[in-house]
Amino acid sequence: MASRVRVRAPELAGKGGWLNTGGRGLSLAGLRGRIVVLDFWTFCCINCLHVLDELRELEEKHRDTVVIIGVHSPKFVHEAEHQAVVDAVERYGVEHPVLDDPELATWKQYAVRAWPTLVVIDPEGYVVAQHAGEGHAHAIERLVEELEAEHGEKGTLRRGDGPYVPPEPQPTTLRFPGKALLLPSGNLLVSDTTRHQLVELAEDGETVVRRIGSGSRGFADGGPADASFNEPQGLALLEDGAVVVADTVNHALRRLDPDSGEVTTLAGTGRQWWQGSPASGPAREVDLSSPWDVAVFAGKVWIAMAGVHQLWTYDPEAGTVGVAAGTTNEGLVDGPGAEAWFAQPSGLAATAERLWLADSETSALRWVDPDGHVHTAVGTGLFDFGHRDGPAGQALFQHPLGVTVLPDGSVAVADTYNHALRRYDPATGEVTTLATDLREPSDAVLVGEDIVVVESARHRLTRLRLPEEAVRVEAVAHRTRRAATEVAPGRLRLDVVFQAPPGQKLDTRYGPSTRLLVSSTPPGLLLEGEGAGTDLSRDLELNPEVAEGVLHVSAMAASCDDDPANDYPACHVHQQDWGVPVRLTDGGADRLPLVLAGMDEQ
């Protein structure tokens, strides 16, 4: 067996304490003999949610040897609130211990730079692998099997039950509902996301008329009791009276017949889209990636494809899907749809002339015109957020998830992490606050003269009378909690570390198997080194006249199983986007390593 680099794993520390352990604290010393996988995540991050799903099979298959520990490392201020982490752990069905690390203590100890990052620790307490981004479950599974064999032979592997203790279930009608839709009958349809169902409520927004879906994770068509969903979110009404459902974790669009309750599949295969997969074609043959919301605009169903930072469309007449806007790069860039960048679009609402969208990771309100051009109304980028009213150029949101067009043409924004309902008026360019003290609002729907808000973390719908005057709140502004990396002005060596997992090799059959894209905010930060290339290392030239900024790095590598006897080896794509805040300082680092997969040995 090939020797591997081993570094002693730092102990785990987090001011928020432990979840899913029955109140007991854990330590690496106490887990000696087990294979530990640390999952550095934050609950706003769609890639982190993908990794949670990727790890479920590993968790089940190696339950007696592997302990997965989620290390919750917040990006937004709201994510540092302990109760918000408690809610997120239940909301996303996390079935392993979680360390709440609001001050990023463990994140810093492990020199993590990206959400998500996975770190594998062997039974003797040494770090043996690190992977950034998603899509690494196959590599970790193989490493786990090697470690089981190696440490089983050495006598250093300890089998047994893990430390996970499930929380007590709570008896509420809804559980972390996502989106709502007003039906022609006057009833309300709600995606009851954590219970994997749709719930039809009477006009009062409380009385249950019926539930649609088995209530268990699954991907099955059928009647109300037999169909199954997996964390459904967005809902939209089609011209024929049917409802299209964004079945998020199934990576699919589903169709609900409101009369019969019958559920069928419109688009998606159940598999997650990866780079290199078809991006258009027959709807049932093309993979999707975490569709979060849907809206009908210009005769098509537009899809907020949160998992790949794009907008897609579904054509009901042709039965096809395809990319409408976005490059898959994460950020805030306006312009023609093919050139625009998004960051986890999560809410959609349409008028005849505009498709409004909540671009959650940039805390932005944006819109698409009939020609497919993308514009930003409020928001500046990935790292600025807060609660500030006033002119759109100065106003701030914090991770909004929903948008609703109001009767006067203005837009209500479910400003999720500010626990508020905000309003943007295109006529004046002003942002105001309509209501506060809403717990993680994720959507809103107009019902007569009222607006009904989905209070996701209070597990209910809340009816508000639209006020003539907005509530005034004290302005608060934040930047992402991560400390800036101090680098020297001038030459900076960027190294994306990638080592093909055991049993695999870089796939060079059809040309280079790696890709690196680099840009900066502000653009003047980079004098040299911007753009795309195939080498995972690059010399950058930083402008000494720019004191600080953000380096945006996107890396991709493709590896295939290294088995000469197999003419059709399985191949895997490894991809990650980093936004690295940097501060230019004399004496700062002249090398910036970013680990995609493997260990940085320099």
Side-chain angles (χ1 to χ4, degrees), residues 18-24 26 63 68 89 94-98 161-168:
W18 289 90
L19 305 176
N20 282 354
T21 64
R24 185 165 61 94
L26 302 181
R63 190 170 292 279
I68 295 175
V89 167
V94 180
E95 295 185 353
H96 51 247
V98 173
D161 293 333
Y164 169 67
V165 178
E168 290 291 326

Side-chain angles (χ1 to χ4, degrees), residues 43-47 49 75-76 79 92 179 292 304-307 309 311 330-332 341-348 357-366 378-386 397-403 413-417 441-442 480:
F43 63 79
C44 72
C45 161
I46 190 66
N47 309 92
L49 303 186
K75 171 185 175 181
F76 290 98
E79 292 171 322
Y92 297 115
K179 306 288 185 182
W292 206 275
M305 203 73 79
H309 316 298
L311 301 180
E330 185 178 13
L332 192 152
W341 290 22
F342 300 98
Q344 223 167 290
S346 301
L348 299 174
L357 66 119
D359 204 26
S360 61
E361 281 292 288
T362 53
S363 298
L365 173 66
R366 306 177 72 184
V378 182
T380 58
L382 286 166
F383 299 97
D384 294 292
F385 57 91
F397 300 127
Q398 186 181 179
H399 198 80
L401 290 179
V403 283
V413 178
D415 193 6
T416 309
Y417 287 3
S442 54
T480 298

Side-chain angles (χ1 to χ4, degrees), residues 134-494:
E134 53 185 296
H136 300 293
H138 63 282
I140 292 176
E141 163 106 20
R142 183 158 187 157
L143 176 57
V144 163
E145 290 172 350
E146 287 187 5
L147 292 172
E148 286 176 339
E150 176 185 342
H151 290 273
E153 186 176 331
K154 289 173 64 175
T156 50
L157 182 69
R158 178 166 56 89
R159 296 178 179 268
D161 293 333
Y164 169 67
V165 178
E168 290 291 326
Q170 300 298 314
T172 55
T173 300
L174 303 172
R175 204 69 190 165
F176 298 105
K179 306 288 185 182
L181 176 69
L182 181 65
L183 296 172
S185 65
N187 288 350
L188 291 159
L189 186 68
V190 183
S191 53
D192 197 16
T193 304
T194 297
R195 292 198 176 126
H196 316 294
Q197 291 180 317
L198 307 180
V199 179
E200 184 177 347
L201 300 175
E203 294 182 20
D204 62 8
E206 297 180 4
T207 304
V208 176
V209 175
R210 60 176 172 170
R211 293 182 178 273
I212 299 160
S214 65
S216 299
R217 290 182 189 272
F219 189 15
D221 292 341
D226 301 320
S228 55
F229 301 94
N230 197 343
E231 297 184 25
Q233 287 281 350
L235 308 165
L237 200 63
L238 299 176
E239 287 186 1
D240 63 2
V243 176
V244 59
V245 182
D247 194 3
T248 304
V249 180
N250 276 329
H251 311 295
L253 297 187
R254 315 294 291 282
R255 180 187 186 274
L256 167 68
D257 183 330
D259 295 328
S260 66
E262 190 78 13
V263 175
T264 53
T265 299
L266 292 175
T269 62
R271 298 184 300 269
Q272 183 183 339
W273 187 93
W274 288 100
Q275 289 286 353
S277 302
S280 64
R284 291 294 305 274
E285 299 175 16
V286 176
D287 300 339
L288 308 182
S289 183
S290 297
W292 206 275
D293 203 4
V294 283
V296 177
F297 177 62
K300 295 182 179 180
V301 176
W302 285 65
I303 310 164
M305 203 73 79
V308 284
H309 316 298
Q310 290 180 313
L311 301 180
W312 287 40
T313 58
Y314 164 70
D315 187 332
E317 291 189 11
T320 57
V321 293
V323 177
T327 64
T328 75
N329 294 111
E330 185 178 13
L332 192 152
V333 177
D334 290 339
E339 301 173 9
W341 290 22
F342 300 98
Q344 223 167 290
S346 301
L348 299 174
T351 68
E353 297 299 323
R354 293 186 180 187
L355 176 71
W356 293 97
L357 66 119
D359 204 26
S360 61
E361 281 292 288
T362 53
S363 298
L365 173 66
R366 306 177 72 184
W367 54 280
V368 181
D369 65 28
D371 294 326
H373 281 66
V374 179
H375 311 261
T376 297
V378 182
T380 58
L382 286 166
F383 299 97
D384 294 292
F385 57 91
H387 191 155
R388 181 192 288 155
D389 287 337
Q394 302 174 17
L396 294 172
F397 300 127
Q398 186 181 179
H399 198 80
L401 290 179
V403 283
T404 307
V405 178
L406 300 179
D408 64 354
S410 63
V411 181
V413 178
D415 193 6
T416 309
Y417 287 3
N418 280 327
H419 310 301
L421 189 68
R422 312 284 293 285
R423 174 178 176 265
Y424 168 70
D425 186 352
T428 64
E430 291 284 320
V431 174
T432 53
T433 299
L434 294 173
T436 56
D437 192 31
L438 300 167
R439 187 71 186 171
E440 292 192 15
S442 54
D443 196 21
V445 60
L446 284 173
V447 180
E449 296 182 354
D450 297 337
I451 189 165
V452 175
V453 180
V454 180
E455 274 199 274
S456 188
R458 283 200 178 111
H459 319 292
R460 70 186 188 192
L461 303 186
T462 298
R463 187 180 296 261
L464 303 173
R465 179 57 54 93
L466 283 173
E468 295 182 9
E469 297 294 330
V471 178
R472 295 206 172 274
V473 298
E474 184 177 351
V476 179
H478 302 289
R479 285 194 67 108
T480 298
R481 298 175 62 85
R482 280 183 295 172
T485 299
E486 293 192 349
V487 295
R491 181 184 177 279
L492 177 68
R493 180 68 171 178
L494 171 65

